[in-house]
Every structure is written in C-alpha cells, then in structure tokens.
C-alpha cells in the first residue's frame, strides 16, 4: 500500500448548480486523461475509476485500493459502440445491452488486443458495463475514455454506497472524489460471461438470473463455485475475502417468525439483529433493524454493516431471504460477509 500523500479534491455534485457541476466534471475528465484516479457514483456502488487504456493509470487503482493486481476490473462505458474494447459483440450481448443498459449488468466479452493486460488481469476477455447514473456517464464522456473501475472501498471492506464512505476509505489515496446521491441498487452489478458455449452468471446482481433467462433461455449459475477458495478468481469473492465487516456475521434461515424468535433468544448485548421482510412479514420488530423488502435490504446492507462496526457491535445476526430474484444477489453477499456461517432454524 502507498503512503497517504495524494492531495485529494472532493466535490459533492448534489450541492452544485448545473454550471459548477459541468466545470467539476470537465476537471475530473482532465484528471482521467492525465492518468489520474477519480471516485464516482454509480447506481450499484461507488467506483474508483482510471483510464482503462492506460496501464500506469490502472496500476494506481490497485495501489489505492490495496488490492492484489491479478484481479480483473470492469470497464465502464457511456456509448453502445464497444469496437475499441471487444473483438466482436455477439448477438446475445447486443440483445442484453438493448434491454438492460444503462444498468447493473456487466458483460464478459472477448477483448480487443488494445485493452491492456493490467485492466483485464491478463485474461483474454474484458468486463464491460454502462452505469445508470447521470454523473458517471457525464464523467466518462468528459474523459472521452472508458473507465476501469472497481468498487471504491479499501480491499476487504464492504463496497461504499455513499459519498461519505468513499472519503473515509480513499482520502489521500486518489486524485478526486465525486459525490452524488447514495447508490440506489446498493449491490454490485450482475456479471455474465458470454465467452463460453452457454452464458454463465458469475456474480448475481439486480439484473436477476430470471431476467437473463427470460431473454437468453439457458444461463448457467454454479453457486458452489464461489465456495472454493483455492481456484483461480473468476468472480469477486471467489478468492479474496469480500464484503466483511469486523463484527462476526451469522445468517439464520427458516420460517420468518421462527427465525426472528431464535435470533432474539441467541443474541447478547453487543449483537445487532437485522430482519428482512417478506410479503407477509414486513412488520418492524422491536430491537431488530427491519428492512421492509429485499430491495430495501440490498440498498442499505453495506452501509449497515459499516455502521455496525462504527457502533461497536461484535456480532451481527441477519435473517436469510429466499434465493430468487434480487434475493439471490443479496444472499450471495451476505453469505460471504458471514463466511458461510448459516444456522438452520427449525420450528
Ligand atoms: O457494480 C459494479 O460492478 C461496481 C461498480 C463500480 O460498477 N464495480 C465492481 O467492481 O464491483 P469490482 O472490481 O469490485 O468487481 C469486478 C469483478 C472482479 O472482481 C472480477 O472477478 C470480475 O469483475 N471480472 C472483471 N473482469 C473479468 C473477466 N474478464 N472475466 C471474469 N471476471 C471478471
Ligand atoms: Mg469490489
């Protein structure tokens, strides 16, 4: 890791008028063109961006995050023309882009040789997505470069979904931090590999497996692949510890009322209880931080895990949700945060 020595400029775009915003975005674009690093908001989580075509700039992302440099990055674009990045756009990719871009879907495609190996972790494929966030798109256009960007957290911490957390993690480590609204999805994008014989979901997100299957027909998902720690990293968390707060996290799975009773019984003074509503069971439970829906839980979970650490909780008990729709993505992140510590609750 580097020393804290970069003079970081911070701008909360939400507080600026249109002219000021435009000026800051042009400045940020210039920072990117000169090989610098800029943190920016997206609808999923905040990203830590640099020019995807500049190997030196990409290396400074890894340095800022303290992340091992063999982990490939997602390239963010503001244009549907991918010819500078990928060898060809298969028909399936074109359909998905039409349906879900801009939005939380990353496509893995065969890369053009011009994309540096620093960006793709030496793979012959490249991950591409178009974020659904005006400021992000404006930054990419101002830079006139595709932006390689991982989540804007220090490696190992939960991804940041607010401007404030980006500052806490990366002040002094990047050239610029741009803030806007809190991320509206709250979980990182869906990652779909389109380079094999059958499309494969590598990371579930807000573009759900069901949505992908509706368009593509067959899509493979092997959840157990993410359980193994000894294989080459193909999707986040497959090798490195991810999403984890300092407090120990345990998931409780079973019928909603039974789970809530059980968590209550097992807790001690330094345990945070998190309940997640399903259709019948959205009522606030005293002593339990309750999210009325899976969408609400997804949007708030990373921020909640960070706050639990700030408030000194030693344990976090979380009610498991059904692994379908957005619940598949939420459970994927929660299981990693819990290091697969899951209690089955029987009535
Ligand atoms: O929502 C998101 O995707 C956020 C925002 C900032 O856009 N970004 C994000 O990036 O989550 P990151 O670096 O935290 O996760 C990207 C993951 C990598 O860890 C890697 O496993 C996978 O994407 N990836 C990137 N390129 C790949 C490739 N060519 N083949 C397989 N997996 C790839
Ligand atoms: Mg990340």
């Amino acid at each position: 890791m580097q020393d804290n020595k970069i003079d970081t400029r911070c701008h909360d775009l939400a507080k600026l008028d249109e002219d000021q915003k435009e000026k800051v975005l042009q400045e940020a674009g210039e920072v990117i063109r000169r090989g610098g690093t800029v943190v920016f908001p997206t609808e999923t989580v905040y990203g830590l961006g640099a020019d995807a075509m500049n190997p030196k700039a990409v290396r400074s992302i890894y340095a800022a995050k303290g992340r091992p440099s063999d982990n490939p990055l997602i390239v963010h674009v503001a244009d549907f023309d991918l010819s500078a990045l990928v060898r060809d756009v298969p028909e399936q990719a074109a359909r998905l882009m039409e349906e879900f871009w801009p939005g939380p879907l990353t496509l893995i495609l065969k890369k053009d040789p011009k994309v540096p190996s620093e960006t793709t972790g030496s793979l012959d494929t490249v991950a591409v997505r178009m974020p659904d966030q005006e400021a992000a798109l404006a930054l990419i256009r101002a830079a006139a470069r595709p932006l390689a960007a991982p989540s804007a957290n220090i490696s190992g911490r939960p991804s940041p979904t607010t401007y404030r957390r980006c500052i806490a993690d990366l002040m002094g480590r990047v050239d610029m931090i741009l803030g806007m609204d809190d991320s509206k999805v709250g979980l990182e994008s869906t990652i779909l590999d389109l380079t094999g014989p059958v499309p494969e979901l590598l990371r579930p997100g807000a573009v759900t497996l069901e949505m992908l299957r509706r368009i593509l027909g067959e899509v493979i998902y092997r959840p157990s692949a993410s359980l193994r720690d000894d294989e080459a990293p193909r999707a986040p968390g497959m090798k490195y510890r991810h999403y984890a707060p300092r407090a120990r996290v345990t998931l409780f799975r079973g019928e909603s009322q039974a789970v809530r009773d059980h968590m209550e019984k097992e807790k001690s003074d330094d345990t945070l209880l998190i309940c997640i509503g399903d259709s019948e069971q959205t009522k606030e439970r005293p002593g339990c931080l309750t999210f009325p829906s899976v969408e609400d839980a997804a949007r708030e979970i990373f921020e909640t895990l960070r706050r639990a650490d700030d408030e000194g909780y030693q344990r976090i008990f979380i009610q498991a949700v059904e692994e379908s729709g957005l619940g598949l993505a939420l459970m994927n992140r929660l299981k990693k945060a819990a290091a697969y510590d899951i209690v089955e609750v029987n009535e």
Side-chain angles (χ1 to χ4, degrees):
M1 289 210 196
Q2 62 190 16
D3 298 320
N4 283 12
K5 61 185 174 207
I6 300 178
D7 176 21
T8 306
R9 279 171 288 164
C10 297
H11 297 280
D12 187 351
L13 299 172
K15 296 216 169 85
L16 304 181
D17 67 31
E18 286 308 312
D19 287 350
Q20 294 168 316
K21 213 189 289 179
E22 179 59 27
K23 192 163 156 273
V24 167
L25 285 164
Q26 288 307 326
E27 227 177 276
E30 187 58 37
V31 170
I32 296 287
R33 278 196 298 282
R34 291 209 190 114
T37 45
V38 177
V39 169
F40 62 98
T42 90
E43 83 282 27
T44 57
V45 301
Y46 275 71
L48 195 186
D51 179 355
M53 307 307 269
N54 176 343
K56 193 157 165 269
V58 172
R59 279 198 296 274
S60 55
I61 293 178
Y62 295 116
K65 267 183 82 88
R67 162 191 265 196
S69 62
D70 62 342
N71 211 352
L73 302 174
I74 294 173
V75 178
H76 296 68
V77 298
D79 196 300
F80 283 85
D81 177 6
L82 301 182
S83 55
L85 298 171
V86 310
R87 277 215 302 260
D88 74 319
V89 178
E91 205 263 323
Q92 289 182 320
R95 255 154 61 208
L96 293 170
M97 287 158 60
E98 168 82 26
E99 183 77 20
F100 298 113
W101 281 13
L105 174 65
T106 296
L107 300 175
I108 309 285
L109 300 166
K110 297 232 165 67
K111 88 176 184 88
D112 185 279
K114 285 193 294 295
V115 182
S117 58
E118 279 80 359
T119 301
T120 62
S122 301
L123 298 170
D124 59 2
T125 56
V126 60
V128 192
R129 98 170 181 99
M130 184 186 287
D132 184 18
Q133 221 290 349
E134 264 321 306
L137 295 171
L139 171 64
I140 299 165
R141 291 197 188 103
R145 301 278 196 284
L147 288 189
S151 49
N153 53 298
I154 290 198
S155 200
R157 290 201 194 151
S159 296
T161 52
T162 67
Y163 177 47
R164 194 167 75 84
R165 297 295 180 184
C166 295
I167 294 175
D169 274 22
L170 294 171
M171 194 69 189
R173 295 174 159 272
V174 296
D175 294 300
M176 207 180 242
I177 300 179
L178 301 180
M180 195 65 187
D181 311 329
D182 297 352
S183 299
K184 64 178 189 231
V185 174
L187 302 178
E188 305 85 347
S189 62
T190 303
I191 301 181
L192 182 73
D193 186 350
L194 288 176
T195 63
V198 179
E200 179 167 359
L201 179 66
L202 298 182
R203 177 172 73 185
V207 171
T208 64
L209 186 55
E210 293 85 347
M211 289 155 90
L212 294 171
R213 284 186 173 147
R214 216 172 297 137
I215 302 223
L216 299 177
E218 192 183 1
V219 177
I220 309 171
Y221 178 50
R222 295 179 292 179
S224 58
S226 59
L227 269 170
R228 307 247 336 251
D229 274 347
D230 51 359
E231 67 181 4
R234 284 225 295 149
M238 284 191 177
K239 185 168 168 195
Y240 309 108
R241 187 163 174 263
H242 260 72
Y243 315 115
R246 277 188 296 275
R248 203 180 125 203
V249 178
T250 305
L251 295 177
F252 293 78
R253 185 156 54 194
E255 187 277 320
S256 188
Q257 201 53 51
V259 160
R260 292 175 181 201
D261 291 344
H262 191 86
M263 295 199 306
E264 185 88 60
K265 205 169 87 230
E266 296 290 305
K267 71 169 276 206
S268 46
D269 287 346
D270 55 7
T271 308
L272 173 65
L273 298 190
I274 299 178
C275 299
I276 304 174
D278 46 47
S279 42
E280 307 102 67
Q281 195 49 256
T282 55
K283 262 207 342 273
E284 181 88 22
R285 184 181 180 112
C288 191
L289 176 59
T290 307
F291 295 111
S293 71
V294 171
E295 283 71 25
D296 292 305
R299 191 173 56 243
E300 305 276 339
I301 194 66
F302 289 147
E303 182 60 23
T304 302
L305 295 179
R306 283 175 175 248
R307 209 176 309 131
D309 279 344
D310 295 345
E311 290 169 8
Y313 288 103
Q314 297 301 309
R315 301 290 313 268
I316 305 173
F317 290 174
I318 308 179
Q319 177 175 13
V321 302
E322 203 190 307
E323 291 179 64
S324 63
L326 185 61
L328 184 66
L330 179 61
M331 282 296 287
N332 170 268
R333 310 308 194 275
L334 291 178
K335 283 175 179 175
K336 286 173 187 167
Y340 296 90
D341 182 15
I342 306 173
V343 174
E344 304 292 344
V345 179
N346 302 305
E347 287 157 74

